[in-house]
Amino acid sequence: MPTPQPPAAQPPAQPSAHQPAHQSAQQPEQRPAQQPEQQPARRERKKAETRRAIADAALRLFALRGFDAVTVNEVAEAADVSAKTVFNHFPAKEQLFYKHEPLLAGDPAEAVRGRPGGQVALALGRLLRADPVGDLALFGRIYRGSQTLRAHGRELFAARERALAETLAEEAEEADGLRPRILAAAALGPLRQVWESILLESAERVPPAEAVARGVRTLEEAYAVLSGAFDGFLQGCWAAARPGGAPIFDEPPRAARGERPSIRRVADLAGVSATTVSHTLNGRRPVAEQTRRRVLRAIEELGYRPNVLARGLRTSRSQTVGLIIPDITNPFYPALARGLQDVLAPAGYDQIISNTDGVHGIEQTAIEQMIARQVDGLAFAVFHTHAEDLLPVIEAGIPVVRLGGRLVQQGVDLVHSDDEGGAAEATRYLLGCGYRRIAFVCGPEAEGPAAERVTGYRAALADAGVPGGEALVAHTGFSRTGGAEGVARLLQLARPPDAVLCANDVMAIGALDVAARLGLRVPEDLAVMGFDDIDAAGLVSPGLTTMANPAREIGQATAMRLLERLRGAIDEPSTELIVPARLVRRESA
């Protein structure tokens, strides 16, 4: 029986008459070679899909509950991914929201790169989309409801401002970068204000098309003013496109339906120049009576109103005043802000409010941001700011009012309550009621107004010959929780106090919480006094005896002092205005 032979090896397939031999030989090798090239593309598509799914899920949650109430874990659950995956794609929670930004069409620095001066302003103006992407009203409502998002938005524009300044410096070959920074701030200030204005108007149910049209027109007017500045700055790099640095537009601006009329439309209708319209409005130059009537008739027909933003760029005034405060949740500070508004609003000024949580680094950053935002005046109630921190504000020529403390510095005005005298009066009141073991609950380091109140408290005890001592002064946070913690520590002393005076009413309410929890009767076992007389002082039980610190009046006085400085009505390098404190007796002491 013959031995079985192995199967004969099959000869390689021969190419057909229509297929070259080299293609046949390479065909099996081509398929594996393509797979590694396709895999990165598939991975990138998958990442993009995951990123979009996460951002969409986050937006739905933000729309339902607000940005601040939603956690990253909840976003991860809604997107069916892990929290780690969310952080890998969006390291900051705010990025989940700004992924859906509907108005900005590009990066300012890239938009102006390589352009002649006259076209820079035009390029910046086109960064605002005339046709927003996504749900503008929804984006605006979420943005309006979160101070965190608004702060992050300011940070994003600040970063764009820095990048634009660097690009302008490169284009003009200017090494020191001072003029580019100034020009970048002047350019992006209007863009940020218009961007935010559109969002807030859309959130208030203004039709998005109307809000956007109004914003586009405002930017056009603002950048028409800036166009000459760009020409002048960049003239060493390019020849001016038109004599006199006139702004260049690819096509004449059209008036959209529902759009706010511009000064140019008034000028066209009246048959005069825009300068003549401006002179008619501000009265700085004489205008012939017949011409004046034509201009006023055109203004009335079109319903024209002067643009505050563009006017601010021309007059070097932003019509804004900054207010820096340590704790916006303390009712004293909203009342203070309301007082400023009472005086500033009729004078045509708006407020920019910054909250610092009483942290020195945040206070310094807030001051720097106010300078960058070109506020016309600055009021601040802070705990840790020292003279050297204010030098940049003073050197920028910005009027400054400090609320509280004893800072004596040229260029800084003081407006505050009689903190030391008020605390002394409160201590004397407790002494008169028969209390002898009186404690004081103040902030972490007793700086600013709290330091003055501690001084008044100690002076009143010394005058009465009653011992005090460091053990009876508790340093804690300026909050309800801080007040509770400070009083709890004091009550654990071998000789606990029979009365406590707190640096503010919110802390005193925390002291009442501890007394109730420990079963102490107020004021029989423990008397409690506050400072400020906020609305809640009369609502708690027992009613809080306190020193009235009229926040709204202090705010009004602060605004009046700032306006006086802006008008040049004060010659002194610094002034001080003290608003007296007043005892308000209730049941707690």
Side-chain angles (χ1 to χ4, degrees), residues 9 32 40 84 132 134 150 177 191 211 218 230 279 294 297 325 348 354 428 432 454 513 516 527:
K84 181 179 179 181
R150 298 173 79 159
L191 181 61
T218 298
F230 280 113
H279 291 164
R294 287 206 315 272
R297 191 162 50 246
I325 55 177
S354 180
R428 287 194 294 268
V454 172
D513 293 339

Side-chain angles (χ1 to χ4, degrees), residues 146-166:
S146 172
Q147 289 294 332
T148 302
L149 289 177
R150 298 173 79 159
H152 191 75
R154 290 192 293 270
E155 292 173 4
L156 292 177
F157 271 95
R160 293 185 178 107
E161 183 181 305
R162 290 191 294 270
L164 177 59
E166 292 174 1

